[in-house]
Amino acid sequence: MKVLLQNKTTRLFLQEPGSWTSKLDEAFIFINSGEAIDFAFQHELSNVHVVLWFREQNHTLTIPFQRDPQEEPGGAIPNPKSNDRERL
């Protein structure tokens, strides 16, 4: 299993900071989903989700971890910084 970040709009995968690719096998691989989420918060990537890629089965699983501002009934809630979140 490989852990990736994908832009929700463009469907491109993070290759390196500031660079995106359409090819799964060229995407940056995170150690785990927590590292991917931390990276997204640290680099203020607000339109991404985590993708788990099971290469042998050629299957992906998408894990959303942020709410879009329009989904919040009372308005947008700012993205928390890494040190504001509780570590599990």
Side-chain angles (χ1 to χ4, degrees), residues 27-86:
F28 183 85
I29 300 166
F30 291 91
I31 295 171
N32 57 48
S33 59
E35 292 292 324
I37 292 167
D38 284 345
F39 181 92
F41 282 126
Q42 290 169 359
H43 290 85
E44 298 180 358
L45 303 176
S46 62
N47 193 31
V48 295
H49 50 219
V50 173
V51 174
L52 305 180
W53 177 33
F54 300 90
R55 187 175 188 164
E56 293 77 27
Q57 296 85 4
N58 194 27
H59 181 73
T60 60
L61 176 66
T62 302
I63 304 171
F65 64 91
Q66 298 169 323
R67 288 186 176 254
D68 293 329
Q70 63 267 24
E71 291 178 9
E72 270 316 306
I77 295 176
N79 289 336
K81 300 292 183 206
S82 292
N83 57 354
D84 292 341
R85 294 185 295 131
E86 217 176 275

